[in-house]
Amino acid sequence: LFRMKFLQLLSRRSAGLEMLFQAYLGQNQVPYMCLTTSTCLYSKKKKVNGYEHVDQEKYKSLVYSVTSFKTNTRTPETLFEEDNLLYGPADKQRPPAKNVETKAPKNRVPLINPNKRILDSGSNPPLKIGLQKNKIPSVTNILQQTMPPQQALYLEKWKQKMILDLGKDGFAEYTKNLFLQGNLFHTTLESILLSEETPAKGQGEDSAVSGYLSSVQNVLKDISEVKALESAVQHETLQYLGLVDCVAKYRGQLCVIDWKTSEKSKPSLQSTFDNPLQVAAYIGAINHDVNYDFQVNCGLIVVAYKNGSPAHPHFMDADLCSQYWNKWLLRLEEYKEKN
C-alpha cells in the first residue's frame, strides 16, 4: 500500500515536470522518455489557451462573485452588472429612426400671400373685427375634430380624473370658472394694451385674474405697436375663420400673439399641444384676408400662470411657422375628408 501511494505521488510530480519542461522548450511532437513507471508517451501539439492573455486583475471580482456561491444567485440586476463589467456601460442612445416620408399637403397654399399689397397703416388704432357666425368652420373646431388619438386619450384621462375628484357637477363648475377666468383675463389684457399702460403692482389684487396679470408682466414690457385685438380673421381661399387674440410687435418682430392660461408649467412649445398649429392658421388667415393691410410671418404663445410665476413666452420664427403651417394644412384636409 505504501509503495502504491509513493508511485502515485511520483507520477503526479513527474506529470507536472513534464508540462513545465514542454512549455520551456516549446517543442511539439518530439519523443521523450517518460519519468513515470508507465509506458513511454509522446507529447501532443500544444493547444493555444485563449485565457493566457486575459487581464485577470480586471475580472477578479467577477470570478469571485460567480465562484463564491454554491447556489445560483444570479438576478437580472447581477446580469446587468456583469455585462457592464465585461462590455462596458450600455449605449443609451435611441436606435436611428427609420426613414419615414413626411406627408405633404395636397393643397399647397403658401403661408405668405404673394399677391397682397402691404400698406403703411401708420398709427391707426388696432383692428377689432367682429366674428360673424356662418357655415365656415373655425380653427378651434377643426383642431378638436382632428385631434391625434394619443392627445385625445390624454385629455380624456385628465377629464375622468377630475370628475373622480370633483364629481360631475364639480367638474362642470370648474370648467365654467376656467372659461370665465380666461375671458376676464383677455378683456383685462385688451384694456392694458389699448391704454399702453402697465397696471400698478397690486392692482386688481382681489380679482380672479390678478395672478395671471402678474405672470405676464415680463412679456408685456416687450410688446409694442399693437395692430389687432380680439379680431376675426378668415382665409378666403381655404375657407376657415378664427378669432385672433393680438397682433403686435414682440421685441421688434410682428407676431400673432396667443394668450394662454395654465395652472401647470408649460416651459416648452411642445407642451402647448395644438396651440402652434392654431397660431400658424391665424397667420395664414391674416395674410389672405383683405381686411388686414399687413402680413405676419412670426408667432408668439404666452402661457400665463395663476400663481403669478413668470409667464413662458414661446416665440415662433418664420421657419417654425412654415413647418406648423404645413401641419395645419394636413389637419384641414383631414377635417374636410371627415365632413
Side-chain angles (χ1 to χ4, degrees):
L1 181 62
F2 175 77
R3 181 178 295 178
M4 290 177 62
K5 289 185 178 180
F6 176 76
L7 290 175
Q8 289 176 356
L9 178 61
L10 182 61
S11 176
R12 290 187 192 132
R13 291 190 176 181
S14 298
L17 289 172
E18 170 193 339
M19 292 175 65
L20 290 173
F21 185 72
Q22 183 181 358
Y24 177 75
L25 294 179
Q27 295 178 354
N28 296 323
Q29 296 181 346
V30 177
Y32 66 93
M33 295 300 295
C34 224
L35 297 179
T36 65
T37 57
S38 60
T39 58
C40 296
L41 301 174
Y42 290 90
S43 65
K44 297 180 180 180
K45 185 176 180 180
K46 183 181 178 181
K47 296 181 179 179
V48 178
N49 189 353
Y51 294 99
E52 290 180 353
H53 304 290
V54 174
D55 187 352
Q56 297 183 7
E57 190 66 26
K58 179 178 179 182
Y59 301 107
K60 182 169 65 177
S61 60
L62 174 61
V63 174
Y64 176 77
S65 66
V66 174
T67 60
S68 60
F69 297 98
K70 294 182 180 180
T71 58
N72 188 1
T73 59
R74 301 175 84 183
T75 64
E77 290 75 16
T78 59
L79 288 173
F80 280 123
E81 291 177 4
E82 291 175 15
D83 286 347
N84 184 58
L85 183 60
L86 289 169
Y87 308 110
D91 186 4
K92 296 183 179 180
Q93 293 183 352
R94 295 180 179 179
K98 296 180 180 179
N99 294 328
V100 180
E101 294 184 1
T102 304
K103 188 177 180 181
K106 299 175 183 177
N107 194 357
R108 298 299 296 269
V109 177
L111 180 64
I112 303 298
N113 187 354
N115 301 319
K116 189 172 184 178
R117 291 184 58 195
I118 307 301
L119 304 175
D120 185 9
S121 57
S123 58
N124 292 338
L127 291 171
K128 189 175 174 63
I129 301 173
L131 187 62
Q132 302 294 327
K133 291 184 178 182
N134 50 38
K135 295 182 180 180
I136 298 177
S138 68
V139 173
T140 304
N141 190 27
I142 293 169
L143 290 176
Q144 285 178 348
Q145 293 197 32
T146 59
M147 186 181 297
Q150 187 175 2
Q151 186 176 330
L153 180 62
Y154 175 85
L155 186 62
E156 183 62 25
K157 283 185 176 180
W158 171 82
K159 179 181 176 181
Q160 294 302 325
K161 182 180 180 300
M162 294 297 291
I163 292 176
L164 188 64
D165 294 340
L166 305 174
K168 288 186 178 180
D169 293 338
F171 179 69
E173 186 68 20
Y174 172 78
T175 53
K176 178 183 177 181
N177 288 335
L178 280 183
F179 179 76
L180 293 175
Q181 285 180 9
N183 281 348
L184 182 58
F185 174 59
H186 280 75
T187 302
T188 309
L189 273 179
E190 183 181 346
S191 300
I192 294 171
L193 292 172
L194 281 173
S195 62
E196 296 184 354
E197 293 179 2
T198 303
K201 189 176 181 180
Q203 181 179 345
E205 189 173 347
D206 297 331
S207 173
V209 296
S210 58
Y212 296 124
L213 293 176
S214 298
S215 179
V216 297
Q217 295 307 309
N218 63 316
V219 181
L220 289 176
K221 60 183 179 61
D222 293 323
I223 292 178
S224 61
E225 299 184 33
V226 180
K227 292 186 174 293
L229 285 170
E230 296 292 331
S231 188
V233 294
Q234 179 176 328
H235 199 295
E236 297 170 355
T237 303
L238 296 175
Q239 290 295 289
Y240 67 84
L241 53 80
L243 190 66
V244 176
D245 288 347
C246 178
V247 179
K249 284 189 176 181
Y250 173 73
R251 296 180 179 178
Q253 297 267 20
L254 188 62
C255 300
V256 165
I257 302 175
D258 202 28
W259 306 100
K260 298 296 181 185
T261 59
S262 177
E263 296 179 0
K264 184 179 179 181
S265 179
K266 295 185 177 181
S268 65
L269 186 65
Q270 289 74 18
S271 60
T272 62
F273 298 105
D274 281 343
N275 293 152
L277 277 73
Q278 185 179 23
V279 170
Y282 290 159
I283 292 174
I286 286 175
N287 295 342
H288 291 79
D289 191 328
V290 294
N291 293 311
Y292 297 87
D293 57 359
F294 54 83
Q295 295 207 77
V296 188
N297 61 3
C298 294
L300 180 70
I301 299 172
V302 182
V303 185
Y305 301 109
K306 189 174 183 178
N307 61 4
S309 58
H312 281 120
H314 301 299
F315 177 72
M316 299 166 57
D317 61 18
D319 291 337
L320 197 56
C321 286
S322 295
Q323 295 176 28
Y324 280 108
W325 171 249
N326 287 332
K327 293 180 180 180
W328 159 251
L329 291 178
L330 290 172
R331 296 281 287 270
L332 183 60
E333 288 178 3
E334 183 183 348
Y335 172 82
K336 290 182 178 180
E337 289 173 0
K338 286 183 177 181
N339 294 271

